[in-house]
Amino acid sequence: MEQNIYLLDANVFIQASRQYYAFDLGSRFWDILLQHAEQGKIESIDRVLKQELDKGKDELTEWSNGSFSFAFRSTDEEDVIESYGRIMTWVQEQPQYTDAAKAEFANEPDGWLVAYALAKGRTIVTHEVLRPDIKIRVPIPNVCEPFHIHNIDTFKMLRELGARLA
C-alpha cells in the first residue's frame, strides 16, 4: 500500500496552537509534525504560510517560518496551476454557492490546497467537513469529493501515522 503524504490546511495549525496543543502545553504535537515532515510524510503549501499563518505574528508564525519552513511547498508549478484552473472552473460552475462564496474561495489558499493535493496525490488534513447543502461557503471537502481527493482530520492523521502524544 502506498504511503499517504498529508497536506495540512491552515486550520490544523491554528486550532492546535490556540486550543488543545498550545505550544506551552502540547509541544509533543509540534515535535510529531516536525518529525513526520522531515520524513516527507507531512507538508503544507506556501500560500497557507503567507496568507494565513503569517497573519498571527505569534509563536505559530515563528515556528512555521523557522523549524517547519522547509515543509511548505510551492504552488508555482505547472501541474498545480493546471489543477487550480480545473478546481476554480468546477467551483464557478456550481449554482449552489453564492458569488461571494465563490470569490472568497478564489481569494483564500483553500483552492490552491485542493489543487496541490490533486496534482500531487496528497491527502488533505482539515477540520472542515463535507456540507453538501451549504451556500455561503465552499468547504474544502465539498471540492475534494468530485475530484476524489481523500481528506481527513488531524486526529485521524495522527492515528494513521501511529503518533502518540503521551
Side-chain angles (χ1 to χ4, degrees):
M1 185 169 107
E2 190 175 308
Q3 177 72 24
N4 278 337
I5 299 177
Y6 301 97
L7 186 65
L8 277 55
D9 184 14
N11 64 27
V12 172
F13 298 106
I14 294 168
Q15 287 181 11
S17 71
R18 292 184 183 162
Q19 297 173 358
Y20 40 87
Y21 299 129
F23 281 92
D24 62 334
L25 299 174
S27 62
R28 179 77 182 116
F29 173 78
W30 303 100
D31 292 343
I32 288 168
L33 291 187
L34 191 55
Q35 171 194 350
H36 287 285
E38 289 169 346
Q39 294 171 5
K41 297 176 186 174
I42 290 177
E43 58 192 18
S44 191
I45 59 169
D46 51 2
R47 293 169 192 267
V48 163
L49 176 64
K50 296 302 174 198
Q51 289 179 248
E52 298 190 81
L53 302 182
D54 280 354
K55 285 182 184 177
K57 301 190 184 333
D58 55 11
E59 197 167 2
L60 174 59
T61 305
E62 291 175 28
W63 181 82
S64 299
N65 282 284
S67 303
F68 201 77
S69 62
F70 71 93
F72 290 96
R73 305 290 184 247
S74 174
T75 51
D76 191 25
E77 295 181 19
E78 192 173 320
D79 57 344
V80 177
I81 294 167
E82 187 272 330
S83 292
Y84 181 76
R86 289 178 58 200
I87 298 294
M88 295 315 298
T89 297
W90 182 87
V91 168
Q92 293 303 317
E93 290 174 349
Q94 302 311 301
Q96 91 180 55
Y97 302 117
T98 65
D99 289 343
K102 293 174 184 180
E104 180 183 9
F105 189 80
N107 290 321
E108 292 180 345
D110 291 358
W112 288 100
L113 194 74
V114 176
Y116 192 92
L118 180 62
K120 306 296 184 184
R122 303 301 193 247
T123 294
I124 294 181
V125 182
T126 183
H127 291 289
E128 294 183 19
V129 295
L130 184 66
R131 297 183 61 195
D133 298 325
I134 193 168
K135 297 178 184 332
I136 60 169
R137 245 188 132 267
V138 182
I140 289 172
N142 286 30
V143 182
C144 288
E145 188 174 71
F147 289 95
H148 309 289
I149 299 168
H150 189 53
N151 61 96
I152 60 175
D153 66 24
T154 303
F155 307 107
K156 184 162 176 53
M157 175 193 70
L158 291 171
R159 287 183 181 100
E160 288 182 5
L161 288 169
R164 297 290 173 256
L165 295 170

